[in-house]
Amino acid sequence: MYDSFLIRSDSLENFEENGKVAGFKFSVRIANYRGCFLGLHNGYYCEVDGVSYPREAQRLAVNGKPPRSFEELMKHAVLEHWDMQDEAFLYVYKEGGLEKGTHRVGILESILGAYGSSPRDEEYVKNPPDPSLGIGTGKTSVVCYYDLELQG
Amino acid sequence: MGIKRGVSLYSYQQEEWFGRMTWREELKEVATNLDGATGIEIISEATIPHFPFPGEEFYQEWNFEMARWGLEAVTMDVFPDPLMFRRDHVMNEREQAERLKMELRIAKKMGFKNLRVLGSEIKTVALALPLAEELDIRINQEIHFPSGIRRGKGQFGGKTMDILEYIEKTGTKHYGFHPDFGIFKKGPSPMYIEYYFRTAGEEHWKEKSADFIEHFNASTNEEELTKWVMDTYPNVFNDPMILEMEFKKASAQAEDLKLIAPYIYCCHGKFYQMTEIPGKPGEYEEVSLDYENPIRVLKEIGYEGYIDSEYEGQRNQQDRGLEFMADEIEEVRRHHKMMKRLIGE
């Protein structure tokens, strides 16, 4: 769903921490029709110029709050909802950030919301599936790619 | 009285996602442009801002707008999300029932008479039933493709029949059914098939899709058809789930509705694409689904509840630019023209 619209084309920027460029960020929209409780958000498969960045390097800034790790969302955002209409920002840690120019960014979300119980629920609690496995992809089951010009 | 027409705001999901419509505009659209539609269905977390804590002002505004347009709050659709507490455990039955109860209390504040559940087990619903009775809201199991109504080989209605037995054994008036018209499949939706060909990178996807549908409709042997498709278009139908969904014929027959007749409290008028009937300008049909027979049967059994439009064709037209996307407003308007004709208003 919304495959060409999950990232806003003018949203890719580097970000700083303690006066140094610590990584890059871009906007993200949810690929479903109902939003989700943020505790169910299991991170993204995120690839930039052919290099993938694991969930541990990612933070999500949503609902006007500072960027939070997916571990923190899982633990403390159980009843905090990401509404379908709202844009969030995915922060990705990469020392020095990205260089000027155009970058090919691919993402696939992993959100563990469900219509009902699944035999794998217990397993997913013990070991949250890696977002690259394509579990919890909502209504977009393929990695969506965007050619984005670094802003700023 | 008779069958009433409503709309699930799910039908306008794309308009909402792109920020072009809010629930307020959608209520106005239903009330003013669908020639007598009066029902509203929502997905709780999709429509309610900051769900489940929208604030009292939202409830006041909702009830005001519904009254303003003379609309009836028919059904609220809910999801159990059994992994909500995945930080340390999978939701147990009691917690799932508590989530249902939370939704029931919200539904009451918004005036809804029905809750739609899909994956909830009978034992979970049973724990929430006392509150449903107290609030006088029915909890209805959606019968969604590929589920069916009858039990038995090739019928897919095991859960439906288990719930029917529970209802009849307990005599509850607050547990029932919400059939989705997607179960009355006639054939593949051309729009869907075109999407599969297009996203597989096939050239001449329109022609190939037409060829596929011609073969599908002419075929009487499912195995032969599957073999033909796999041999002819191996790159397009290589996902077992697509095969399973597209090659299965109807999962229920219209007459099956009679089995659960007293307990049908709402229906989803699922549809994928409304097209003009050849030779009949201004009249529309959904070529992939049987609407005539289920509506005839609903009339025969004296059904006086709602059929709520549930448009779902937008997601398979989002692989290209904005200019190729579906017009949800027009699709729902056409759907209501068809329902009005078939209901015989």
Side-chain angles (χ1 to χ4, degrees), chain A residues 17-144:
Chain A
E17 259 182 24
N18 307 319
K20 276 169 54 183
V21 175
F24 56 90
K25 64 173 185 172
F26 52 85
S27 72
V28 276
R29 292 286 307 274
I30 196 164
N32 75 14
Y33 54 78
R34 64 177 172 121
C36 74
F37 283 121
L38 283 161
L40 293 164
H41 202 324
N42 182 46
Y44 292 87
Y45 171 75
C46 172
E47 177 193 317
V48 179
D49 303 328
V51 178
S52 66
Y53 295 85
R55 176 174 49 207
E56 291 68 31
Q58 304 170 14
R59 304 285 182 273
L60 192 71
V62 60
N63 292 337
K65 295 185 180 162
R68 286 172 283 177
S69 69
F70 288 95
E71 175 88 11
E72 189 182 343
L73 291 172
M74 173 178 76
K75 286 185 173 154
H76 303 297
V78 172
L79 273 177
E80 182 185 335
H81 201 260
W82 182 14
D83 289 359
M84 179 177 71
Q85 300 84 352
D86 289 345
E87 185 175 88
F89 271 84
L90 188 69
Y91 284 64
V92 181
Y93 280 87
K94 178 187 188 290
E95 217 171 296
L98 295 174
E99 294 189 357
K100 277 201 167 132
T102 303
H103 299 274
R104 190 159 179 77
V105 179
I107 56 161
L108 180 64
E109 74 185 21
S110 173
I111 294 174
L112 302 173
Y115 297 95
S117 300
S118 139
R120 307 190 76 170
D121 286 345
E122 293 289 348
E123 177 192 331
Y124 291 163
V125 168
K126 286 192 196 98
N127 294 306
D130 190 274
S132 66
L133 296 173
I135 290 153
T137 57
K139 299 296 176 191
T140 293
S141 56
V142 293
V143 180
C144 298

Side-chain angles (χ1 to χ4, degrees), chain B residues 231-280:
Chain B
D231 291 348
T232 320
Y233 301 114
N235 299 326
V236 180
F237 295 95
N238 50 7
D239 179 341
M241 201 171 99
I242 294 175
L243 271 180
E244 164 81 10
M245 296 300 270
E246 292 305 331
F247 285 78
K248 205 184 273 291
K249 306 258 172 160
S251 62
Q253 300 303 314
E255 301 292 325
D256 297 349
L257 290 168
K258 292 178 177 170
L259 280 176
I260 51 169
Y263 313 111
I264 302 173
Y265 298 118
C266 192
C267 294
H268 267 161
K270 166 69 51 62
F271 69 104
Y272 310 109
Q273 189 172 43
M274 301 303 300
T275 49
E276 202 165 59
I277 301 174
K280 295 187 176 176

Side-chain angles (χ1 to χ4, degrees), chain B residues 93-148:
Chain B
E93 245 168 56
R94 282 205 344 271
E95 288 168 326
Q96 289 206 30
E98 286 304 320
R99 167 104 190 236
L100 263 185
K101 288 177 179 172
M102 176 187 89
E103 305 269 11
L104 281 167
R105 291 188 184 99
I106 292 171
K108 185 70 181 178
K109 290 179 96 155
M110 297 175 75
F112 285 101
K113 304 290 193 304
N114 301 281
L115 215 64
R116 183 244 40 181
V117 295
L118 188 55
S120 300
E121 300 296 329
I122 296 175
K123 48 197 179 182
T124 306
V125 172
L127 290 172
L129 270 182
L131 181 66
E133 281 159 15
E134 187 189 317
L135 302 176
D136 197 17
I137 296 173
R138 290 169 298 235
I139 300 176
N140 304 325
Q141 170 68 37
E142 179 166 0
I143 305 171
H144 190 285
F145 188 83
S147 291

